[in-house]
Amino acid sequence: MKGNLSRKLVTYFLVVIVLSLTSVGVFTYTRSSEELDRQSSRHMSQIVNNAMYQTDLYLQNYERSMSSLLSNQDVKQFVDMPRIEGYEYYSFYSSIRDYGMKPIFIRNPEVASIYIISNNENAIFGFNGSGPDQTLSPPEITDRLAFLKERTKDNGQLSPLISSIQTERKNSYITLARKIRGLASPNFNGVLAFEVQSKELSTLWGGIDLGEDGYFFIIDESGEIVYHPQWERIGSVLEADMMSQINKSDAQMFEKREGNEKRMFVSRKSAYSGWTLVVSMPLDELKKPIASIRTTTIIVGLITLVAAIWLSQRFGMSIARPIRVLKNGMRQTEKGNWMTIPVSHPEPKDEIDELTFSYNLMVKRLSELVKQVYEAELQNRETQLERQKAEFQSLQMQINPHFLYNTLETIACYAALKDSDEISEIVKSMAYMLRYSVQTNLEEITVANELKHVLTYMIILRHRIDHEFEIEAAVPPKYLLHKMVRLTLQPLVENVFQHAFPDGVEDHHYIRIDAGVEDDIFWVSVEDNGVGIPESKLAELNEKLSTYRLTDEMDKNEKITSGIGIMNVHRRIQMVFGEKYGLRIESVEGEGTKMFMDMPVSNSK
């Protein structure tokens, strides 16, 4: 038994430890590999972007140098001239060479040559050196003009080309050419070209660190290699499969085998020059940190596993015997019986005994508490239900009885003074209001029912105040069938007559009933233009509404006025729909009051 228990504990610990080490190691290695891959991708992308940015700046610098020639009047006139020779040609040549080309050679010593060829095949060649300038034969000028016109952009932008007017140095020079205009026409009438040594490009990227075996190269839009660390490859066309990968992966990474080595490539095409710069690094060099992490993870995992095995064996041996004692004492609970565990000692002697005594005490207390909670919950539910029912019925009966008394007095006066139809009208209205009011259930009725009750109330009120007064019912028809609590609208209207018009109803007074939906809240409002509520009194009233209390918690010496009608309405709305809803009041002293009943819109039909 001892050996079995110890082996189980050791086995369980080993399973947990191996799973933990494996999951942590795999997770750490995976996340680290992914993060290093992302960092490598960002690093290579930054290299490509920075190199391409420097290249574009490099080309833009020469484009600015060209601007001085483009604005030269002699250049523009020379481009427009028909075929010229002799002194006239020498005049243009001297002026353009001395005042246009030489300053550029001074500012940019890396420029090897500058030449201008018009569409009329007038050509001026300038070379950066102490020797005499060379020239081309008429057939060579014709061929060069055709070549440049075909390879340069029609919008006049700079076009980098792998070419040279001297065939023996074709692959070691880059031609920067663009079409130019003369004075007589807005159309392009010639070509201006700079020739720069290809090795000048390598100075731009001297500070870029690509590791021991990393390199980059540049190709133009036709796939011809503009720059490559292997100079013999400049001017050659890139392989078709590599070109296909580059075209599909602009600013993205892709892998490709190069000889016996697998390499990672990142490409980026310049919108300015049309060149594509490609950075290449060995995949093994990029993955070297990941391999180091993998080796470290394995070594640390093995060391941790050996230490864990030794500790688990010691731990298993230390608790096997006490656990066996506790197991024998809990055999009855294994049968599914919820009962205390028998103990052999009246007092605990060690930790296992203390655990057993604590467990027995816990079972006993839990059994008692569960029984008490169940009985208390059952009793509380019954008490709460009865209390709410009684409270609602009590609230329903809190309608101010003075209105009924005054109405009966009015009926008595009419009956004593004269035989009139008003008595019949008042009695019928009174009967309807009594039938409507005495229903004390939680029934929800429609806005239309409440409006009808208010109109019935106004029939009786007009006889009481002996004044014609019409309430403006502005409720949109689409809200008439929305649900609201019974007998909540009439108390608010009655409150207006009692408090908003203290000096009596005048012709300019009005009461307006409206309804709407805002932020999933259905509201019904009663608005008047009476005396309003003082700011302090309004704050006190809103405080009472927000505390969800009835007047039974008011000061015992405080006189209960008709304001109870407002609290009554607020309380009954909350009892039917919940504490989120109820009554809210807006008022400006001297201008009027507007009371809102907020209810859930979901109860509408």
Side-chain angles (χ1 to χ4, degrees):
M1 187 67 173
K2 175 181 176 182
N4 291 337
L5 182 58
S6 299
R7 283 196 297 269
K8 288 181 180 179
L9 289 173
V10 172
T11 301
Y12 294 152
F13 275 112
L14 286 178
V15 170
V16 172
I17 292 169
V18 170
L19 288 177
S20 300
L21 288 175
T22 303
S23 59
V24 170
V26 171
F27 177 78
T28 303
Y29 174 74
T30 303
R31 290 297 301 272
S32 300
S33 299
E34 292 175 353
E35 184 62 28
L36 286 173
D37 286 340
R38 285 193 291 267
Q39 289 182 1
S40 298
S41 177
R42 288 195 296 267
H43 175 66
M44 295 183 69
S45 297
Q46 288 175 356
I47 290 175
V48 171
N49 291 336
N50 291 337
M52 185 53 68
Y53 175 74
Q54 294 296 331
T55 303
D56 288 345
L57 288 180
Y58 174 79
L59 297 178
Q60 289 171 2
N61 178 56
Y62 288 116
E63 188 172 21
R64 287 192 293 269
S65 297
M66 286 183 174
S67 299
S68 62
L69 286 175
L70 294 178
S71 60
N72 190 299
Q73 295 296 317
D74 291 335
V75 173
K76 292 185 176 183
Q77 291 179 4
F78 179 77
V79 171
D80 287 338
M81 294 292 292
R83 190 65 179 270
I84 57 175
E85 295 178 351
Y87 176 78
E88 189 174 13
Y89 170 81
Y90 180 77
S91 176
F92 277 105
Y93 170 80
S94 300
S95 176
I96 294 173
R97 177 69 173 84
D98 294 339
Y99 300 106
M101 296 181 178
K102 282 186 176 181
I104 295 177
F105 287 141
I106 294 172
R107 290 193 305 268
N108 305 95
E110 70 278 6
V111 176
S113 61
I114 303 174
Y115 55 91
I116 303 170
I117 304 176
S118 71
N119 289 351
N120 295 325
E121 299 186 358
N122 291 319
I124 294 178
F125 297 88
F127 295 86
N128 191 3
S130 58
D133 291 337
Q134 304 177 24
T135 185
L136 300 180
S137 63
E140 291 175 333
I141 292 175
T142 302
D143 293 341
R144 192 62 182 174
L145 178 62
F147 172 81
L148 293 177
K149 289 175 66 175
E150 179 183 357
R151 301 293 295 273
T152 53
K153 299 176 183 178
D154 293 333
N155 59 3
Q157 292 183 353
L158 191 67
S159 300
L161 308 172
I162 301 298
S163 66
S164 175
I165 56 176
Q166 300 183 40
T167 56
E168 68 275 7
R169 59 181 189 179
K170 172 184 177 182
N171 294 338
S172 60
Y173 280 81
I174 297 174
T175 298
L176 307 176
R178 60 176 294 173
K179 294 178 180 177
I180 59 176
R181 297 182 177 91
L183 290 174
S185 172
N187 298 324
F188 293 109
N189 203 23
V191 178
L192 170 63
F194 283 28
E195 288 192 2
V196 184
Q197 294 184 16
S198 300
K199 65 180 181 180
E200 290 294 328
L201 292 175
S202 61
T203 61
L204 296 175
W205 312 302
I208 298 176
D209 183 14
L210 296 178
E212 296 180 0
D213 298 322
Y215 68 90
F216 64 90
F217 59 91
I218 300 175
I219 58 174
D220 61 14
E221 294 177 315
S222 64
E224 190 173 356
I225 297 177
V226 177
Y227 170 80
H228 198 284
Q230 300 175 1
W231 295 101
E232 64 275 9
R233 298 196 59 181
I234 296 177
S236 62
V237 178
L238 196 64
E239 296 85 356
D241 59 337
M242 176 65 80
M243 193 67 191
S244 176
Q245 286 278 6
I246 292 173
N247 290 334
K248 291 189 298 185
S249 331
D250 184 37
Q252 299 294 327
M253 298 181 68
F254 64 93
E255 298 178 7
K256 190 177 184 303
R257 183 169 294 278
E258 192 173 82
N260 297 326
E261 186 180 45
K262 199 169 185 180
R263 303 183 69 91
M264 184 71 71
F265 294 86
V266 178
S267 65
R268 175 68 185 272
K269 185 175 182 179
S270 171
Y272 174 74
S273 64
W275 286 355
T276 300
L277 189 143
V278 184
V279 172
S280 174
M281 292 186 68
L283 198 59
D284 291 341
E285 186 174 339
L286 291 173
K287 298 293 185 179
K288 187 180 295 183
I290 300 176
S292 177
I293 292 175
R294 180 175 61 248
T295 303
T296 304
T297 302
I298 294 174
I299 294 175
V300 173
L302 290 175
I303 295 174
T304 306
L305 181 61
V306 172
I309 292 173
W310 181 77
L311 290 174
S312 64
Q313 289 178 340
R314 292 291 302 271
F315 180 75
M317 292 297 294
S318 65
I319 67 171
R321 188 175 295 104
I323 291 296
R324 183 175 71 250
V325 174
L326 183 60
K327 177 181 177 181
N328 292 334
M330 297 177 63
R331 288 188 182 275
Q332 291 300 321
T333 59
E334 292 178 354
K335 298 178 181 179
N337 299 324
W338 186 255
M339 58 183 295
T340 58
I341 300 174
V343 293
S344 58
H345 304 287
E347 296 293 335
K349 294 184 177 182
D350 54 25
E351 289 80 1
I352 299 299
D353 287 341
E354 290 180 359
L355 178 61
T356 302
F357 275 92
S358 298
Y359 175 77
N360 290 337
L361 181 60
M362 180 187 66
V363 169
K364 182 179 178 181
R365 289 183 177 178
L366 282 176
S367 299
E368 294 175 353
L369 288 174
V370 168
K371 183 178 179 181
Q372 292 175 4
V373 169
Y374 176 76
E375 292 176 353
E377 182 68 21
L378 183 61
Q379 184 179 4
N380 184 58
R381 288 184 180 180
E382 293 176 354
T383 304
Q384 186 70 16
L385 182 61
E386 292 297 329
R387 179 181 176 183
Q388 288 186 352
K389 184 183 297 184
E391 187 178 18
F392 182 79
Q393 291 177 350
S394 175
L395 286 170
Q396 193 80 327
M397 297 302 295
Q398 288 181 11
I399 304 302
N400 188 358
H402 295 292
F403 170 72
L404 301 179
Y405 300 153
N406 292 337
T407 301
L408 292 177
E409 281 190 278
T410 304
I411 295 174
C413 290
Y414 271 113
L417 295 176
K418 59 182 178 179
D419 183 13
S420 174
D421 293 336
E422 285 85 348
I423 298 176
S424 176
E425 184 179 33
I426 293 174
V427 170
K428 289 180 181 179
S429 300
M430 189 67 192
Y432 172 80
M433 291 188 66
L434 287 174
R435 284 195 302 271
Y436 190 82
S437 301
V438 295
Q439 299 184 38
T440 60
N441 61 331
L442 295 176
E443 178 185 0
E444 302 169 29
I445 48 86
T446 63
V447 176
N449 293 133
E450 280 292 279
L451 285 175
K452 182 179 179 182
H453 182 62
V454 170
L455 296 178
T456 305
Y457 164 76
M458 290 303 300
I459 292 175
I460 299 174
L461 188 65
R462 280 197 297 271
H463 291 290
R464 282 180 52 196
I465 65 177
D466 194 23
H467 185 87
E468 289 294 329
F469 189 88
E470 296 292 338
I471 291 181
E472 180 185 358
V475 178
K478 62 181 179 179
Y479 299 129
L480 291 177
L481 296 182
H482 275 54
K483 296 296 184 181
M484 62 185 298
V485 181
R486 176 186 298 276
L487 205 60
T488 53
L489 188 57
Q490 182 268 334
L492 300 186
V493 174
E494 182 179 1
N495 187 77
V496 173
F497 282 102
Q498 292 182 356
H499 299 284
F501 310 137
D503 298 329
V505 178
E506 303 293 342
D507 291 338
H508 67 276
H509 287 150
Y510 73 84
I511 299 176
R512 186 173 187 268
I513 301 175
D514 198 358
V517 174
E518 183 177 356
D519 296 332
D520 293 331
I521 296 294
F522 171 60
W523 55 265
V524 177
S525 66
V526 177
E527 182 181 6
D528 66 75
N529 63 341
V531 297
I533 304 175
E535 185 175 350
S536 59
K537 183 66 176 178
L538 178 63
E540 179 183 353
L541 187 57
N542 281 323
E543 177 66 20
K544 290 181 179 180
L545 293 175
S546 65
T547 54
Y548 189 56
R549 293 289 187 270
L550 275 174
T551 53
D552 56 359
E553 296 189 7
M554 296 170 59
D555 191 288
K556 293 182 179 179
N557 298 323
E558 183 178 350
K559 182 179 179 182
I560 300 177
T561 67
S562 57
I564 188 66
I566 294 177
M567 301 304 297
N568 188 319
V569 171
H570 176 68
R571 173 64 169 166
R572 287 192 292 117
I573 292 175
Q574 289 189 327
M575 289 183 66
V576 174
F577 295 124
E579 297 184 19
K580 177 182 177 182
Y581 307 97
L583 197 64
R584 54 187 172 92
I585 303 175
E586 298 176 358
S587 181
V588 178
E589 187 174 6
E591 297 183 10
T593 303
K594 190 170 185 179
M595 295 178 285
F596 294 87
M597 291 186 289
D598 291 340
M599 294 161 285
V601 71
S602 58
N603 284 270
S604 62
K605 294 185 179 179

